[in-house]
Amino acid sequence: MGISRHATAHWEGDLKSGQGRLATQSGVLENTRYAFNTRFGEEKGTNPEELIAAAHAGCFTMALSAKLTEAGHPPARLDTRAEVDLSMEGGPSFSQIRLKVSAEVPGIDAAKFQAIAEDAKANCPVSKALSAVPISLEAALA
């Protein structure tokens, strides 16, 4: 049995002067502003890159927690940062994603932690969905 989630986007106007609103099924985003200047400038609001980064950081971290627990090393703490790069060369595209995780995992050595983190990176659903983009991982025990 699978699950399905949804989000909605509404846009008015042209690309540069228009703006939109996003909402998520959970209500965490509700009428959240996004626009050209929230994506390419410094205006307050969200953008697709940070939403993908949040989804990837969350998915990878949950996958890593599950895999560490399955290996007999439930984590005390996992902190992940995901960085999504948008390249404009040849038209806009995601050029790279960097995952950086710092962890406190009792009873595990660095090599085993790295192997489990690489497995989580390769197999979390968001990583799989973004497989056309190079994804790097920096994993460190605290």
Side-chain angles (χ1 to χ4, degrees), residues 3 21 47 64 78 85 98 141:
I3 61 170
R21 301 286 172 177
N47 59 72
L64 181 55
L78 299 172
D85 293 350
R98 290 176 302 285
L141 291 170

Side-chain angles (χ1 to χ4, degrees), residues 62-84:
M62 290 178 79
L64 181 55
S65 175
K67 290 183 178 297
L68 286 166
T69 301
E70 288 170 10
H73 300 284
R77 176 188 59 78
L78 299 172
D79 293 302
T80 303
R81 176 184 174 108
E83 300 172 352
V84 175

Side-chain angles (χ1 to χ4, degrees), residues 9 29-30 32 39 45 67 70 75 79 87-88 95 98 101 118-120 123 134 136 139:
L29 296 181
E30 184 65 41
T32 302
R39 189 173 194 182
K67 290 183 178 297
E70 288 170 10
D79 293 302
S87 172
M88 300 309 286
S95 58
R98 290 176 302 285
V101 61
E118 290 288 347
D119 184 45
N123 291 298
S136 64

Side-chain angles (χ1 to χ4, degrees), residues 7-8 22-24 29 32-34 45-58 82 84 94 126 130:
T8 60
L22 297 171
T24 56
L29 296 181
T32 302
R33 183 175 184 278
Y34 76 113
T46 193
N47 59 72
E49 291 72 33
E50 77 176 3
L51 294 171
I52 288 172
H56 204 176
V84 175
F94 298 134
V126 173
L130 297 171

Side-chain angles (χ1 to χ4, degrees), residues 60 64 67-68 99 101 103 105 108-122 136-141:
F60 164 77
L64 181 55
K67 290 183 178 297
L68 286 166
L99 295 171
V101 61
V105 184
I108 197 168
D109 64 50
K112 186 170 186 177
F113 174 70
Q114 183 70 38
I116 292 171
E118 290 288 347
D119 184 45
K121 178 193 83 157
S136 64
L137 174 64
E138 182 180 310
L141 291 170

